[in-house]
Amino acid sequence: MTNPQPYYYAQPAPPAEPKGLSITGFVLGIVSLFFGFTFLMPIAGLIFSIVGLKKEPAAKAFSITGIVVNAVALVSWLFVVMLFVIIGGSIFAVLLGVAATNPSYNY
């Protein structure tokens, strides 16, 4: 009788490191950049990306990309708001100037 060969088992794969925070920040940045300018989504994405950078070293690329994309979305949003304020203020100033120089009513 021959001795049976021993069975060799493969080592179990190491558990996958979490990447949820980093990916969430990255996705929020892309969504806020391409699907409309909102104020809360880039801030939330920036927070998720920064926390992901600290807690998830395996997803460092997603975190850094999320920080950059969310910062661009936030700066773009602020630029659009400033543009509306400047244009709206200019229109309001022109209307006030016209009303002050040309009164069309009599008392």
Side-chain angles (χ1 to χ4, degrees), residues 37 77-91:
F37 293 107
W77 186 87
L78 292 175
F79 177 73
V80 168
V81 168
M82 287 176 51
L83 192 66
F84 277 123
V85 168
I86 290 170
I87 291 174
S90 300
I91 292 172

Side-chain angles (χ1 to χ4, degrees), residues 41-93:
M41 286 178 58
I43 291 176
L46 200 59
I47 291 170
F48 276 116
S49 295
I50 291 171
V51 171
L53 186 63
K54 302 279 184 191
K55 291 188 175 185
E56 300 170 348
K60 187 175 181 180
F62 277 117
S63 295
I64 292 173
T65 307
I67 290 170
V68 170
V69 171
N70 284 303
V72 166
L74 194 59
V75 168
S76 299
W77 186 87
L78 292 175
F79 177 73
V80 168
V81 168
M82 287 176 51
L83 192 66
F84 277 123
V85 168
I86 290 170
I87 291 174
S90 300
I91 292 172
F92 187 68

